[in-house]
């Protein structure tokens, strides 16, 4: 509920500024299991399919071991072009045979929402 005087909705003291574009951000890669969160990798620069491939190759197996799931990985990623690049698909086919197919965008089915919630709770 908001309390203010009539016709003061645009008074600067009643406004909260936000940054919509160009405000910066941090790019990360992360993973999770049903019981806990896995590794979080901070990414410098622009993400492309080659960088994404290197992140998977260097971190997915290690993360699975740290989460206690070993080779029992059911891998999920969305349909971003980096995720569907040929080198990434071939690597996933060989290293992650259980690949969860992604439906068209649906916030209800997106597990990243659980990560955002956990991040908000921890911050």
């Amino acid at each position: 509920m908001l309390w203010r005087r009539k016709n003061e909705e645009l008074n600067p003291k009643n406004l909260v500024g936000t940054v919509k574009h160009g405000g910066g951000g941090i790019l990360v890669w992360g993973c999770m299991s049903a019981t806990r969160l896995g590794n979080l990798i901070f990414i410098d620069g622009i993400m492309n399919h080659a960088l994404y491939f290197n992140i998977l190759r260097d971190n997915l197996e290690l993360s699975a071991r740290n989460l206690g799931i070993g080779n029992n990985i059911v891998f999920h990623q969305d349909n971003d072009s980096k995720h569907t690049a040929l080198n990434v698909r071939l690597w996933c086919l060989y290293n992650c045979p259980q690949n969860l197919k992604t439906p068209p965008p649906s916030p209800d089915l997106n597990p990243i929402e659980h990560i955002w919630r956990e991040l908000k709770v921890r911050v």
Side-chain angles (χ1 to χ4, degrees):
M1 182 170 277
L2 177 68
W3 293 90
R4 64 177 176 249
R5 291 193 171 109
K6 189 175 181 178
N7 298 321
E8 282 195 354
E9 60 271 6
L10 297 180
N11 186 322
K13 72 177 185 176
N14 295 327
L15 301 176
V16 176
T18 61
V19 176
K20 298 292 183 187
H21 299 287
I26 299 172
L27 188 58
V28 296
W29 175 88
C31 63
M32 64 184 169
S33 73
T35 58
R36 63 183 193 258
L37 300 177
N39 294 357
L40 190 63
I41 307 301
F42 291 87
I43 300 162
D44 290 327
I46 297 172
M47 174 74 88
N48 59 27
H49 70 91
L51 179 57
Y52 183 66
F53 172 81
N54 291 336
I55 290 169
L56 289 180
R57 185 193 62 210
D58 298 342
N59 295 288
L60 189 60
E61 184 181 339
L62 176 64
S63 294
R65 269 193 311 234
N66 291 343
L67 289 168
I69 57 177
N71 291 333
N72 248 354
I73 300 170
V74 177
F75 191 59
H76 177 263
Q77 55 189 355
D78 61 23
N79 291 317
D80 186 278
S81 60
K82 293 174 281 300
H83 304 164
T84 58
L86 182 60
N87 61 338
V88 172
R89 284 185 300 158
L90 290 174
W91 187 88
C92 289
L93 185 64
Y94 180 74
N95 293 284
C96 308
Q98 296 185 67
N99 201 338
L100 186 61
K101 301 296 181 205
T102 303
S106 170
D108 296 332
L109 298 175
N110 190 347
I112 194 68
E113 298 304 326
H114 302 289
I115 298 286
W116 293 131
R117 182 193 175 282
E118 184 69 22
L119 182 62
K120 287 176 188 174
V121 166
R122 289 187 186 194
V123 169

